[in-house]
Amino acid sequence: VTPDHWHVKIAVEALAAGQSDLWTEVVPMTPAKAFAGNIQVFSVAAPEVFTQLRISIYPDGGISRLRIMGRLE
C-alpha cells in the first residue's frame, strides 16, 4: 500500500503573450508519482505564444525542479 501523498496529480496552465488574466489549460490534470524523480514529457500544440506557466499540484504540495522547453514552429 502506498501512502496517499504518493498519489498526486498535476495540471499546467499558460498565459499567452499580450494577455493579462486569461489562462489556458495546456496540460489537463494528470497523475504523477511523488518522490519518484519523475520525467514526464507533454507536447502542447497551440497557435498562441505563451510567456508564463502556472503549475498546480493536487493535493497541495511542492516541486523541487521543473524544466520547460519550447520551440516555435
Side-chain angles (χ1 to χ4, degrees):
V1 177
T2 57
D4 285 339
H5 66 273
W6 280 50
H7 299 287
V8 298
K9 294 182 181 180
I10 61 168
V12 181
E13 296 173 298
L15 191 62
Q19 294 291 327
S20 62
D21 61 354
L22 183 61
W23 290 88
T24 303
E25 182 180 74
V26 293
V27 176
M29 199 175 303
T30 304
K33 286 186 178 178
F35 310 109
N38 280 317
I39 296 177
Q40 291 188 261
V41 177
F42 302 99
S43 294
V44 175
E48 299 95 343
V49 173
F50 298 114
T51 58
Q52 297 175 56
L53 295 175
R54 176 167 62 187
I55 187 166
S56 299
I57 306 166
Y58 306 95
D60 202 12
I63 295 178
S64 61
R65 289 175 198 86
L66 177 65
R67 181 179 296 171
I68 305 294
M69 293 178 275
R71 73 175 165 240
L72 296 174
E73 295 183 354

Coordinates of all heavy atoms in Angstrom, one line a residue:
V1 N 0.9 -1.2 0.0 CA 0.0 0.0 0.0 C 0.9 1.2 0.0 O 1.8 1.4 0.8 CB -0.9 0.0 1.2 CG1 -1.7 1.3 1.3 CG2 -1.8 -1.2 1.3
T2 N 0.6 2.1 -0.9 CA 1.4 3.4 -1.0 C 0.7 4.5 -0.2 O -0.5 4.5 -0.2 CB 1.6 3.8 -2.4 OG1 0.4 4.0 -3.1 CG2 2.5 2.8 -3.2
P3 N 1.5 5.3 0.4 CA 0.9 6.5 1.1 C 0.1 7.4 0.2 O 0.4 7.5 -1.0 CB 2.1 7.2 1.7 CG 3.2 6.2 1.6 CD 2.9 5.3 0.5
D4 N -0.9 8.0 0.8 CA -1.8 8.9 0.0 C -1.0 10.0 -0.7 O -1.3 10.5 -1.8 CB -2.9 9.5 0.8 CG -4.0 8.5 1.1 OD1 -4.1 7.5 0.4 OD2 -4.7 8.8 2.1
H5 N 0.1 10.5 -0.1 CA 0.9 11.6 -0.6 C 1.6 11.2 -1.9 O 2.2 12.0 -2.6 CB 1.8 12.3 0.4 CG 2.9 11.4 0.9 ND1 2.8 10.5 1.9 CD2 4.2 11.2 0.4 CE1 3.9 9.9 2.1 NE2 4.8 10.3 1.2
W6 N 1.7 9.9 -2.2 CA 2.3 9.5 -3.4 C 1.4 9.6 -4.6 O 1.8 9.5 -5.8 CB 2.8 8.1 -3.3 CG 4.1 8.0 -2.6 CD1 4.4 8.5 -1.3 CD2 5.2 7.3 -3.0 NE1 5.6 8.2 -1.0 CE2 6.2 7.4 -1.9 CE3 5.5 6.5 -4.1 CZ2 7.5 6.9 -2.0 CZ3 6.8 5.9 -4.1 CH2 7.7 6.1 -3.1
H7 N 0.1 9.8 -4.4 CA -0.9 9.8 -5.5 C -1.2 11.3 -5.7 O -2.2 11.8 -5.2 CB -2.2 9.1 -5.1 CG -1.9 7.6 -4.8 ND1 -1.6 6.7 -5.9 CD2 -1.8 6.9 -3.7 CE1 -1.4 5.5 -5.4 NE2 -1.5 5.6 -4.0
V8 N -0.4 11.9 -6.5 CA -0.6 13.3 -6.8 C -1.0 13.5 -8.3 O -0.8 12.6 -9.1 CB 0.7 14.2 -6.5 CG1 1.0 14.1 -5.0 CG2 1.8 13.7 -7.3
K9 N -1.5 14.6 -8.6 CA -1.9 15.0 -9.9 C -1.4 16.4 -10.2 O -1.3 17.2 -9.3 CB -3.4 14.9 -10.2 CG -3.9 13.5 -10.1 CD -5.4 13.5 -10.3 CE -5.9 12.1 -10.2 NZ -7.3 12.0 -10.4
I10 N -1.0 16.7 -11.4 CA -0.5 18.0 -11.8 C -1.4 18.5 -13.0 O -1.9 17.7 -13.7 CB 1.0 18.0 -12.2 CG1 1.2 17.1 -13.4 CG2 1.8 17.6 -11.0 CD1 2.5 17.3 -14.1
A11 N -1.5 19.8 -13.1 CA -2.1 20.5 -14.2 C -1.3 21.7 -14.5 O -0.7 22.3 -13.6 CB -3.5 20.9 -13.9
V12 N -1.2 22.1 -15.8 CA -0.4 23.2 -16.2 C -1.3 24.2 -17.0 O -2.0 23.7 -17.9 CB 0.8 22.8 -17.0 CG1 1.6 24.1 -17.4 CG2 1.7 21.9 -16.3
E13 N -1.2 25.5 -16.7 CA -1.9 26.5 -17.4 C -0.9 27.5 -18.0 O 0.2 27.6 -17.4 CB -2.9 27.2 -16.5 CG -4.0 26.4 -16.0 CD -4.9 27.1 -15.0 OE1 -4.3 27.5 -13.9 OE2 -6.1 27.3 -15.3
A14 N -1.2 28.1 -19.1 CA -0.3 29.1 -19.7 C -1.0 30.4 -20.0 O -2.2 30.4 -20.2 CB 0.3 28.5 -21.0
L15 N -0.2 31.5 -20.0 CA -0.7 32.8 -20.3 C -0.1 33.2 -21.6 O 1.1 33.2 -21.8 CB -0.3 33.8 -19.2 CG -0.9 35.1 -19.2 CD1 -2.4 35.0 -19.0 CD2 -0.3 36.0 -18.1
A16 N -0.9 33.5 -22.6 CA -0.5 33.9 -23.9 C 0.1 35.3 -23.9 O -0.3 36.2 -23.0 CB -1.6 33.8 -24.9
A17 N 1.0 35.6 -24.8 CA 1.6 36.9 -24.9 C 0.5 37.9 -25.1 O -0.4 37.7 -25.9 CB 2.6 36.9 -26.1
G18 N 0.6 39.0 -24.4 CA -0.3 40.1 -24.5 C -1.6 39.9 -23.7 O -2.4 40.8 -23.6
Q19 N -1.7 38.8 -23.0 CA -2.9 38.6 -22.1 C -2.5 38.9 -20.7 O -1.3 38.8 -20.3 CB -3.4 37.1 -22.2 CG -3.9 36.7 -23.5 CD -5.3 37.4 -23.8 OE1 -6.1 37.7 -22.9 NE2 -5.5 37.7 -25.1
S20 N -3.5 39.4 -19.9 CA -3.1 39.7 -18.5 C -3.9 38.8 -17.5 O -3.5 38.7 -16.4 CB -3.5 41.1 -18.2 OG -4.9 41.3 -18.4
D21 N -4.9 38.1 -17.9 CA -5.7 37.3 -17.0 C -6.4 36.1 -17.6 O -7.2 35.4 -16.9 CB -6.7 38.1 -16.2 CG -7.7 38.8 -17.2 OD1 -7.6 38.6 -18.4 OD2 -8.7 39.4 -16.6
L22 N -6.1 35.7 -18.8 CA -6.8 34.6 -19.5 C -5.9 33.4 -19.6 O -5.1 33.3 -20.5 CB -7.3 35.0 -20.9 CG -8.1 34.0 -21.7 CD1 -9.4 33.6 -20.9 CD2 -8.4 34.5 -23.0
W23 N -5.9 32.6 -18.6 CA -5.0 31.4 -18.5 C -5.7 30.3 -19.3 O -6.9 30.0 -19.3 CB -4.8 30.9 -17.1 CG -4.0 31.9 -16.3 CD1 -4.5 33.0 -15.6 CD2 -2.6 31.9 -16.1 NE1 -3.4 33.6 -15.0 CE2 -2.2 33.0 -15.3 CE3 -1.6 31.0 -16.6 CZ2 -0.9 33.2 -15.0 CZ3 -0.3 31.3 -16.2 CH2 0.0 32.4 -15.4
T24 N -4.9 29.6 -20.1 CA -5.3 28.5 -21.0 C -4.7 27.2 -20.4 O -3.5 27.1 -20.2 CB -4.8 28.7 -22.4 OG1 -5.2 29.9 -22.9 CG2 -5.2 27.6 -23.3
E25 N -5.6 26.2 -20.2 CA -5.1 24.9 -19.8 C -4.3 24.2 -20.9 O -4.9 24.0 -22.0 CB -6.3 24.0 -19.4 CG -5.8 22.6 -18.8 CD -7.0 21.8 -18.4 OE1 -7.7 21.3 -19.3 OE2 -7.3 21.6 -17.2
V26 N -3.1 23.9 -20.7 CA -2.2 23.2 -21.7 C -1.9 21.8 -21.4 O -1.7 21.0 -22.3 CB -0.9 24.0 -22.0 CG1 -1.3 25.4 -22.6 CG2 -0.1 24.2 -20.8
V27 N -2.0 21.4 -20.1 CA -1.9 20.0 -19.6 C -3.0 19.8 -18.6 O -3.0 20.4 -17.6 CB -0.5 19.8 -19.0 CG1 -0.4 18.3 -18.5 CG2 0.6 20.0 -20.0
P28 N -3.9 19.0 -19.0 CA -5.0 18.7 -18.0 C -4.5 17.9 -16.8 O -3.4 17.4 -16.8 CB -6.0 17.9 -18.8 CG -5.2 17.3 -19.9 CD -4.1 18.2 -20.2
M29 N -5.3 17.9 -15.8 CA -4.9 17.2 -14.6 C -4.4 15.7 -14.9 O -5.2 15.0 -15.5 CB -6.1 17.1 -13.6 CG -5.6 16.8 -12.2 SD -6.9 16.9 -10.9 CE -7.5 18.5 -11.1
T30 N -3.2 15.5 -14.6 CA -2.5 14.2 -15.0 C -1.9 13.6 -13.7 O -1.2 14.3 -13.0 CB -1.4 14.6 -16.0 OG1 -2.0 15.3 -17.1 CG2 -0.7 13.3 -16.5
P31 N -2.0 12.3 -13.6 CA -1.4 11.6 -12.5 C 0.2 11.7 -12.5 O 0.7 11.6 -13.6 CB -1.8 10.1 -12.6 CG -3.0 10.2 -13.5 CD -2.8 11.3 -14.4
A32 N 0.8 11.8 -11.4 CA 2.2 11.8 -11.3 C 2.6 11.1 -9.9 O 1.8 11.1 -9.0 CB 2.8 13.2 -11.3
K33 N 3.8 10.6 -9.9 CA 4.3 10.0 -8.6 C 5.2 10.9 -7.9 O 6.1 11.5 -8.4 CB 5.0 8.7 -8.9 CG 4.2 7.6 -9.3 CD 5.0 6.3 -9.5 CE 4.2 5.1 -9.8 NZ 5.0 3.9 -10.0
A34 N 4.9 11.1 -6.6 CA 5.7 11.9 -5.8 C 7.0 11.2 -5.4 O 7.0 10.0 -5.4 CB 5.0 12.3 -4.5
F35 N 8.1 11.9 -5.2 CA 9.4 11.3 -4.8 C 9.9 10.3 -5.8 O 10.6 9.4 -5.4 CB 9.3 10.7 -3.4 CG 8.6 11.7 -2.4 CD1 7.4 11.4 -1.9 CD2 9.3 12.8 -2.0 CE1 6.8 12.3 -1.0 CE2 8.7 13.7 -1.1 CZ 7.5 13.4 -0.6
A36 N 9.5 10.3 -7.0 CA 9.9 9.3 -8.0 C 10.9 9.8 -9.0 O 11.2 9.0 -9.9 CB 8.7 8.7 -8.6
G37 N 11.4 11.0 -8.9 CA 12.3 11.5 -9.9 C 11.6 11.5 -11.3 O 12.1 11.1 -12.3
N38 N 10.4 12.0 -11.3 CA 9.6 12.0 -12.5 C 10.2 12.6 -13.7 O 10.8 13.7 -13.5 CB 8.2 12.7 -12.3 CG 7.2 11.8 -11.6 OD1 7.1 10.7 -11.9 ND2 6.5 12.4 -10.6
I39 N 10.1 12.0 -14.8 CA 10.4 12.7 -16.1 C 9.2 12.5 -16.9 O 8.9 11.3 -17.3 CB 11.7 12.1 -16.7 CG1 12.9 12.3 -15.9 CG2 11.9 12.7 -18.1 CD1 14.2 11.7 -16.4
Q40 N 8.4 13.5 -17.0 CA 7.2 13.4 -17.8 C 7.3 14.4 -18.9 O 7.7 15.6 -18.7 CB 6.0 13.7 -17.0 CG 5.8 12.5 -16.0 CD 4.5 12.7 -15.3 OE1 4.4 13.1 -14.1 NE2 3.4 12.3 -15.9
V41 N 7.0 14.0 -20.1 CA 7.1 14.9 -21.3 C 5.6 15.1 -21.8 O 4.9 14.1 -22.0 CB 7.9 14.2 -22.4 CG1 7.9 15.1 -23.6 CG2 9.3 14.0 -21.9
F42 N 5.3 16.3 -22.0 CA 4.0 16.7 -22.6 C 4.2 17.5 -23.8 O 5.0 18.5 -23.8 CB 3.2 17.5 -21.6 CG 3.0 16.8 -20.3 CD1 3.7 17.1 -19.2 CD2 2.0 15.9 -20.1 CE1 3.5 16.5 -18.0 CE2 1.8 15.2 -18.9 CZ 2.5 15.5 -17.8
S43 N 3.5 17.2 -24.9 CA 3.5 18.0 -26.1 C 2.3 18.9 -26.1 O 1.2 18.5 -25.9 CB 3.5 17.2 -27.3 OG 4.7 16.4 -27.4
V44 N 2.5 20.2 -26.4 CA 1.4 21.1 -26.4 C 1.5 21.8 -27.8 O 2.5 22.4 -28.2 CB 1.6 22.2 -25.3 CG1 0.5 23.3 -25.4 CG2 1.6 21.6 -24.0
A45 N 0.4 21.7 -28.5 CA 0.3 22.3 -29.8 C -0.8 23.4 -29.7 O -1.9 23.1 -29.4 CB -0.2 21.3 -30.9
A46 N -0.4 24.6 -29.8 CA -1.3 25.8 -29.7 C -0.9 26.9 -30.6 O 0.3 27.1 -30.8 CB -1.3 26.2 -28.2
P47 N -1.8 27.6 -31.1 CA -1.5 28.7 -32.0 C -0.9 29.9 -31.3 O -0.2 30.8 -31.9 CB -2.8 29.1 -32.7 CG -3.8 28.7 -31.7 CD -3.3 27.5 -31.0
E48 N -1.1 30.0 -29.9 CA -0.6 31.1 -29.2 C 0.9 31.0 -28.8 O 1.4 29.9 -28.8 CB -1.4 31.3 -27.9 CG -2.8 31.6 -28.0 CD -3.6 30.3 -27.9 OE1 -3.0 29.2 -28.1 OE2 -4.8 30.4 -27.7
V49 N 1.5 32.1 -28.5 CA 2.9 32.1 -27.9 C 2.7 32.4 -26.4 O 2.1 33.4 -26.1 CB 3.8 33.2 -28.6 CG1 5.1 33.3 -27.8 CG2 4.0 32.9 -30.0
F50 N 3.1 31.5 -25.6 CA 2.9 31.6 -24.2 C 4.2 32.2 -23.5 O 5.3 31.9 -23.9 CB 2.7 30.2 -23.5 CG 1.4 29.6 -24.0 CD1 1.4 28.4 -24.8 CD2 0.2 30.2 -23.8 CE1 0.3 27.8 -25.2 CE2 -1.0 29.6 -24.2 CZ -1.0 28.4 -25.0
T51 N 3.9 33.1 -22.6 CA 5.0 33.8 -21.9 C 5.2 33.4 -20.4 O 6.2 33.6 -19.8 CB 4.9 35.3 -22.0 OG1 3.6 35.6 -21.4 CG2 4.9 35.8 -23.4
Q52 N 4.1 32.8 -19.9 CA 4.1 32.4 -18.5 C 3.4 31.0 -18.3 O 2.5 30.8 -19.0 CB 3.5 33.4 -17.6 CG 4.1 34.8 -17.6 CD 3.4 35.8 -16.8 OE1 3.1 35.6 -15.7 NE2 3.0 36.9 -17.5
L53 N 3.9 30.2 -17.3 CA 3.2 29.0 -17.0 C 2.8 29.0 -15.5 O 3.5 29.5 -14.7 CB 4.1 27.8 -17.3 CG 4.5 27.6 -18.7 CD1 5.5 26.5 -18.9 CD2 3.3 27.3 -19.6
R54 N 1.8 28.3 -15.2 CA 1.3 28.1 -13.8 C 1.1 26.6 -13.6 O 0.3 26.0 -14.4 CB 0.1 28.9 -13.6 CG -0.5 28.7 -12.2 CD -1.6 29.8 -11.9 NE -2.7 29.7 -12.8 CZ -3.7 30.6 -12.8 NH1 -3.6 31.7 -12.0 NH2 -4.7 30.5 -13.7
I55 N 1.7 26.0 -12.7 CA 1.5 24.6 -12.4 C 0.8 24.4 -11.1 O 1.1 25.1 -10.1 CB 2.9 23.8 -12.4 CG1 2.6 22.3 -12.3 CG2 3.8 24.3 -11.3 CD1 3.8 21.4 -12.6
S56 N -0.2 23.5 -11.1 CA -1.0 23.2 -9.9 C -0.7 21.8 -9.5 O -0.7 20.9 -10.4 CB -2.4 23.4 -10.1 OG -2.7 24.8 -10.5
I57 N -0.6 21.5 -8.2 CA -0.4 20.1 -7.7 C -1.6 19.8 -6.8 O -2.0 20.6 -5.9 CB 0.9 20.1 -6.9 CG1 2.0 20.6 -7.8 CG2 1.1 18.6 -6.4 CD1 3.3 20.8 -7.0
Y58 N -2.2 18.6 -7.0 CA -3.3 18.2 -6.2 C -2.9 16.8 -5.5 O -2.5 15.9 -6.3 CB -4.5 18.0 -7.1 CG -4.9 19.2 -7.9 CD1 -4.4 19.3 -9.2 CD2 -5.6 20.2 -7.3 CE1 -4.7 20.4 -9.9 CE2 -6.0 21.3 -8.1 CZ -5.5 21.4 -9.4 OH -5.8 22.5 -10.1
P59 N -3.1 16.6 -4.3 CA -3.3 17.6 -3.3 C -2.1 18.5 -3.2 O -1.1 18.3 -3.8 CB -3.5 16.8 -2.0 CG -2.8 15.5 -2.2 CD -2.8 15.3 -3.7
D60 N -2.3 19.6 -2.4 CA -1.3 20.6 -2.3 C 0.1 20.0 -2.0 O 0.3 19.1 -1.3 CB -1.7 21.5 -1.1 CG -1.0 22.9 -1.2 OD1 -0.5 23.2 -2.3 OD2 -1.1 23.6 -0.2
G61 N 1.1 20.6 -2.7 CA 2.5 20.1 -2.5 C 3.5 21.0 -3.2 O 3.1 22.1 -3.6
G62 N 4.7 20.5 -3.3 CA 5.7 21.3 -3.9 C 6.5 20.6 -5.0 O 6.3 19.4 -5.2
I63 N 7.3 21.3 -5.7 CA 8.1 20.8 -6.8 C 9.5 21.2 -6.5 O 9.8 22.4 -6.3 CB 7.6 21.3 -8.2 CG1 6.2 20.8 -8.5 CG2 8.6 20.8 -9.3 CD1 5.7 21.3 -9.8
S64 N 10.5 20.3 -6.6 CA 11.9 20.7 -6.5 C 12.5 21.2 -7.8 O 13.3 22.0 -7.7 CB 12.7 19.6 -5.9 OG 12.7 18.4 -6.7
R65 N 12.1 20.6 -8.9 CA 12.6 21.0 -10.2 C 11.5 21.0 -11.2 O 10.7 20.0 -11.3 CB 13.7 20.1 -10.6 CG 15.0 20.3 -9.8 CD 16.0 19.2 -10.2 NE 17.0 19.1 -9.2 CZ 16.9 18.3 -8.2 NH1 15.9 17.5 -8.0 NH2 17.9 18.2 -7.3
L66 N 11.5 21.9 -12.1 CA 10.6 22.0 -13.3 C 11.4 22.5 -14.5 O 12.0 23.6 -14.4 CB 9.4 22.8 -13.0 CG 8.4 23.0 -14.1 CD1 7.8 21.7 -14.4 CD2 7.4 24.0 -13.7
R67 N 11.5 21.7 -15.5 CA 12.2 22.1 -16.7 C 11.2 22.3 -17.8 O 10.4 21.4 -18.1 CB 13.3 21.1 -17.1 CG 14.0 21.5 -18.3 CD 15.1 20.5 -18.7 NE 16.1 20.5 -17.6 CZ 17.0 19.6 -17.5 NH1 17.1 18.6 -18.4 NH2 17.9 19.6 -16.5
I68 N 11.2 23.5 -18.4 CA 10.3 23.8 -19.5 C 11.1 24.1 -20.7 O 12.0 24.9 -20.7 CB 9.4 25.0 -19.2 CG1 8.6 24.8 -17.9 CG2 8.5 25.3 -20.3 CD1 7.6 23.7 -17.9
M69 N 10.8 23.4 -21.8 CA 11.4 23.7 -23.1 C 10.4 24.0 -24.1 O 9.3 23.4 -24.1 CB 12.3 22.5 -23.5 CG 13.5 22.3 -22.6 SD 14.4 20.8 -23.0 CE 13.5 19.6 -22.2
G70 N 10.7 24.9 -25.0 CA 9.7 25.2 -26.1 C 10.4 25.6 -27.3 O 11.6 25.9 -27.4
R71 N 9.6 25.5 -28.4 CA 10.2 25.9 -29.7 C 9.0 26.4 -30.5 O 7.9 25.9 -30.5 CB 11.0 24.8 -30.4 CG 10.1 23.8 -30.9 CD 10.9 22.7 -31.7 NE 10.1 21.6 -31.9 CZ 10.3 20.4 -31.4 NH1 11.5 20.1 -30.8 NH2 9.5 19.4 -31.6
L72 N 9.3 27.4 -31.4 CA 8.3 27.9 -32.3 C 8.5 27.2 -33.6 O 9.6 27.0 -34.1 CB 8.6 29.4 -32.5 CG 8.4 30.3 -31.3 CD1 8.8 31.7 -31.6 CD2 7.0 30.3 -30.8
E73 N 7.4 26.8 -34.1 CA 7.4 26.1 -35.4 C 6.5 26.9 -36.4 O 5.6 27.5 -36.1 CB 6.9 24.7 -35.3 CG 7.8 23.9 -34.5 CD 7.4 22.4 -34.4 OE1 6.3 22.1 -34.9 OE2 8.1 21.6 -33.8

